[in-house]
Amino acid sequence: MKKKVLLIGIVLVVGLMICACGTQVQTESPLKKTFKSISKYAKKTGKLKLGYDKEKERLDIGFYPGADIDKFFNVLSKNVKDNAIGILYFRTYFDVQDDEKEKICERIGKLDPKSVMVFGMDVELIECGEHSWTNILPKTDILYIPNAATFYDYKDANSKKNFESVKTVWKHDTGYGSICNFPNCEEVGIYATVESDDDRASTHGKVYSTYGSYSYPTVAQFETVTGKNGKVKKVKAKPEPFEFDESFDEPDEFYALKDCKKLKRITIAPCFEKYKLGNNASSYLFGISNVRGDIMINKPYTKLAEDDYITVDEYIKTNSKITKQEKNLVVHQFLGDEVKSVYKKAKKYKKKNKKIKINDKALVYLAQPGESNYKKKRIYHSEGRVLDSSDIGYKVKLPEKAHDYRYFVYVYPTYKYYGKYNKGTKAYTITYWAQVFDLNKKVAYKPSKIGSKNPEQTIRVSGIPDKYAPSINIRKIYRSIKRLWK
């Protein structure tokens, strides 16, 4: 892959060919030739929007309804055949019909370049019914996807085979759901920029490729300075790092990383020289750490380089500014997602008619069911919450990351019929229990009774409920849970 990119760089920088006669002839790149050849048609008809960037060696093609698709692709196909090319991006505008999109995808699949540094399409083309465009993927170094486009409809054998050739995926956003469609993907770049109308590139000064020495500046940025002699002059401004400020939202956006078995690293802002972290970004990185702590990321504030990566676990441990409270908020959500599956496994464990003192980290879940779930025996209640240090104290050993615990403590209520109020509401005695499960030994220990309360003789309620059970002081429950530890 690096050799291909280096070859492009040499062609772009030198731009010379030695002829048999010994003279040097200036040559144009295949994409520039295509741009020049088709520009007249594009301006005359308004059916194509072309963007060519010499420095980036990028051709951005937008199709409007009624464009002469064959005319464009006949030119492009001739120019790129057996040649190494830079960045090729396709999009459609407004009311382009399905048959036109399918034809574009079909013609893409028939292109025969030697290699493509970056190939990308918009979501409208990706989601059209014609999948033969994937034939270009074995020649592509980097596949660019604008957003979290999905490929669930790509079930044909040809597409699957072509997907296997994809090793690097760049994305405009941060979604990971589509990455697992590429079983051999080793790297995903987030917040990449390929489209010509993406203004992030000019905002942040320079844009760089991840690979080799292939780099290209964007629109030059200048600033005025006053010299020692008092003269004011313009100088090229130093590029500002890209600010990565993606915040943690919910665990679902990270779970796909578990299934991407060959994914080794995430490159943040792969098209920029360097990036810096915003106020929220550390919580996002900690979210990744809860799913795949072994994933490598490029270091912030550091010029992008092949060998300057660090595991996200190591970064969080040594450099992250995330607070303990922020970590708890992230971990809390991951643990909440784990409770049901852990309970299903734990309820099958061998029972021991004894109680133990916990000596390690435990996931503690407090069930708080509504009146429709008053049960005599222990069941799983989806109504409830994971307890953290603010509930039961910072001396108790609780998980610091997802799956980071040996014990599961299920705190749940049982209900016993007590009587009936004069308006017909059934009254129940409530008893809370805490049962400890050892996830390593696969043992379920005898539940501990941690609180009980009979219904009051008189209650004041809004309306007339079918059932009623009193509340046990939550602090009493917390204190009883705390006593489970040594």
Side-chain angles (χ1 to χ4, degrees):
M1 185 183 297
K2 293 180 185 177
K3 290 181 179 179
K4 292 179 181 178
V5 176
L6 183 58
L7 176 61
I8 298 172
I10 292 172
V11 172
L12 290 174
V13 174
V14 179
L16 299 172
M17 180 181 293
I18 307 300
C19 295
C21 60
T23 59
Q24 293 182 333
V25 180
Q26 186 76 29
T27 63
E28 291 182 333
S29 74
L31 298 185
K32 185 177 182 180
K33 287 172 66 176
T34 301
F35 174 74
K36 290 177 69 174
S37 297
I38 210 71
S39 287
K40 187 175 180 180
Y41 165 80
K43 290 178 181 178
K44 181 179 179 180
T45 65
K47 298 296 184 180
L48 281 177
K49 184 176 181 180
L50 301 179
Y52 175 72
D53 190 307
K54 178 181 178 181
E55 299 293 340
K56 297 187 176 97
E57 185 50 20
R58 177 188 66 199
L59 183 62
D60 187 326
I61 311 106
F63 293 87
Y64 289 98
D68 191 333
I69 296 169
D70 285 327
K71 181 180 182 69
F72 169 76
F73 274 101
N74 288 343
V75 174
L76 179 65
S77 298
K78 180 181 178 181
N79 288 332
V80 304
K81 184 175 175 60
D82 296 328
N83 280 308
I85 59 176
I87 303 171
L88 194 58
Y89 181 72
F90 293 90
R91 70 173 81 199
T92 56
Y93 295 105
F94 309 118
D95 297 323
V96 174
Q97 300 300 302
D98 289 345
D99 60 337
E100 293 177 299
K101 295 175 187 175
E102 290 174 3
K103 188 171 186 179
I104 293 168
C105 291
E106 182 182 357
R107 290 302 304 263
I108 290 172
K110 292 180 179 179
L111 295 174
D112 191 23
K114 182 179 181 181
S115 66
V116 185
M117 179 187 165
V118 183
F119 171 80
M121 301 197 307
D122 69 3
V123 177
E124 294 294 320
L125 289 172
I126 291 173
E127 293 183 348
C128 86
E130 176 57 57
H131 299 165
S132 63
W133 68 267
T134 61
N135 290 333
I136 201 171
L137 293 180
K139 303 286 185 72
T140 299
D141 291 327
I142 302 167
L143 171 64
Y144 173 76
I145 305 170
N147 58 34
T150 57
F151 296 90
Y152 298 127
D153 292 335
Y154 285 72
K155 298 177 180 178
D156 57 288
N158 185 61
S159 293
K160 289 182 177 180
K161 181 180 179 181
N162 289 328
F163 282 171
E164 290 177 0
S165 66
V166 176
K167 297 291 183 67
T168 303
V169 176
W170 280 0
K171 295 171 60 58
H172 187 281
D173 66 358
T174 60
Y176 300 104
S178 57
I179 303 301
C180 293
N181 291 279
F182 308 100
N184 296 316
C185 181
E186 297 176 357
E187 176 182 353
V188 55
I190 56 176
Y191 277 156
T193 174
V194 169
E195 302 100 315
S196 58
D197 57 357
D198 187 344
D199 62 359
R200 294 178 301 172
S202 59
T203 302
H204 296 282
K206 287 188 176 181
V207 177
Y208 283 80
S209 163
T210 311
Y211 297 99
S213 59
Y214 185 86
S215 62
Y216 38 80
T218 61
V219 178
Q221 303 291 307
F222 295 93
E223 61 185 2
T224 58
V225 296
T226 303
K228 292 180 179 179
N229 57 3
K231 291 185 177 180
V232 177
K233 60 179 180 179
K234 279 188 176 182
V235 298
K236 187 174 288 188
K238 292 182 179 179
E240 285 290 322
F242 178 82
E243 183 174 13
F244 179 70
D245 199 26
E246 184 76 3
S247 59
F248 175 83
D249 185 18
E250 57 183 25
D252 285 349
E253 61 184 302
F254 299 108
Y255 288 138
L257 295 174
K258 287 183 179 179
D259 300 321
C260 302
K261 306 299 184 183
K262 295 190 178 181
L263 186 64
K264 298 176 182 177
R265 63 187 191 177
I266 294 172
T267 301
I268 300 169
C271 301
F272 298 91
E273 182 180 18
K274 62 177 69 173
Y275 74 97
K276 62 182 179 181
L277 294 177
N279 293 330
N280 303 307
S282 289
S283 66
Y284 178 88
L285 296 179
F286 186 57
I288 296 176
S289 177
N290 274 266
V291 177
R292 284 284 306 276
D294 63 313
I295 289 282
M296 306 286 287
I297 60 168
N298 50 320
K299 295 177 182 177
Y301 314 103
T302 305
K303 188 173 180 179
L304 185 61
E306 280 285 312
D307 58 352
D308 211 355
Y309 281 68
I310 187 174
T311 67
V312 68
D313 266 356
E314 187 179 354
Y315 178 75
I316 292 294
K317 183 178 179 181
T318 59
N319 297 290
S320 177
K321 296 179 181 179
I322 186 170
T323 65
K324 190 168 185 177
Q325 183 180 13
E326 288 174 319
K327 283 186 176 182
N328 283 340
L329 290 173
V330 173
V331 171
H332 199 77
Q333 293 191 54
F334 279 102
L335 297 177
D337 284 356
E338 294 172 17
V339 169
K340 187 174 182 179
S341 61
V342 173
Y343 176 85
K344 283 184 176 180
K345 294 177 183 177
K347 73 177 184 178
K348 300 175 183 178
Y349 288 172
K350 179 181 178 181
K351 297 178 178 60
K352 280 197 175 182
N353 193 29
K354 70 174 186 177
K355 301 174 183 179
I356 66 161
K357 287 290 186 179
I358 302 173
N359 61 358
D360 206 339
K361 294 176 185 176
L363 166 60
V364 184
Y365 179 77
L366 174 63
Q368 297 174 301
E371 66 180 55
S372 61
N373 273 325
Y374 287 2
K375 301 296 180 182
K376 295 180 180 180
K377 297 181 179 181
R378 185 202 75 200
I379 66 166
Y380 174 74
H381 296 284
S382 58
E383 308 102 314
R385 63 191 185 87
V386 174
L387 301 186
D388 59 28
S389 299
S390 63
D391 299 315
I392 53 180
Y394 288 92
K395 292 183 180 180
V396 173
K397 293 182 178 180
L398 296 177
E400 297 177 20
K401 286 179 62 177
H403 306 294
D404 178 34
Y405 48 89
R406 173 178 173 175
Y407 296 96
F408 173 51
V409 181
Y410 187 61
V411 185
Y412 63 97
T414 57
Y415 300 86
K416 184 178 180 181
Y417 180 72
Y418 187 85
K420 187 180 292 187
Y421 290 102
N422 61 344
K423 296 295 185 180
T425 298
K426 295 178 180 178
Y428 290 82
T429 296
I430 184 172
T431 303
Y432 257 98
W433 307 83
Q435 185 166 16
V436 178
F437 300 87
D438 187 326
L439 304 181
N440 287 359
K441 294 183 177 180
K442 294 182 171 50
V443 172
Y445 293 98
K446 183 180 179 180
S448 299
K449 183 177 178 180
I450 61 173
S452 186
K453 190 174 182 180
N454 292 327
E456 301 91 340
Q457 293 298 311
T458 302
I459 59 172
R460 291 184 179 182
V461 293
S462 177
I464 304 175
D466 293 330
K467 298 176 181 178
Y468 171 80
S471 298
I472 299 176
N473 185 290
I474 195 69
R475 294 297 166 190
K476 182 179 179 181
I477 293 177
Y478 290 163
R479 287 194 297 269
S480 298
I481 294 172
K482 195 183 303 184
R483 296 189 194 106
L484 296 173
W485 270 259
K486 286 183 177 180

